Amino acid sequence: GPTSFLDIIELARSKRDILLVTALESAVRPVSFADGRIELSLVPGAVPGIVQMLSGRPHTWNGRKWWVTVTSG
C-alpha cells in the first residue's frame, strides 16, 4: 500500500480520480503520514468533502480503511 502522502496522490492519479488529485495537490497540506493514517491541514477554500473523499477512496481501491484527521495550522 501507499507509504507516503505522495504515494496517495500517485494512487489517485493511477485511478484517474482527478478531483482527488487536484484537491490533494492544492487544498491540503500533509502534517504526518503513517500506515493507514493521514493527518493534514486544509488550506482556505479547500474542496468540501475532501476528508471524506480521502478516507473513502483508498478503502474502495484496496480494501483498507484510512483514518484522516484534520489539524489547524
Side-chain angles (χ1 to χ4, degrees):
T3 59
S4 71
F5 188 75
L6 291 176
D7 285 349
I8 292 288
I9 294 173
E10 288 306 313
L11 179 59
R13 186 173 282 118
S14 74
K15 299 295 184 177
R16 301 186 187 275
D17 192 332
I18 301 306
L19 179 62
L20 185 57
V21 170
T22 302
L24 292 173
E25 291 180 336
S26 63
V28 302
R29 300 288 177 257
V31 173
S32 67
F33 187 95
D35 188 30
R37 295 184 182 272
I38 303 169
E39 183 178 354
L40 50 84
S41 63
L42 302 177
V43 300
V47 174
I50 183 65
V51 173
Q52 290 81 9
M53 278 193 290
L54 186 52
S55 62
R57 296 292 208 292
H59 177 72
T60 301
W61 298 331
N62 66 16
R64 286 199 63 215
K65 177 72 175 168
W66 281 79
W67 297 101
V68 180
T69 55
V70 178
T71 61
S72 58

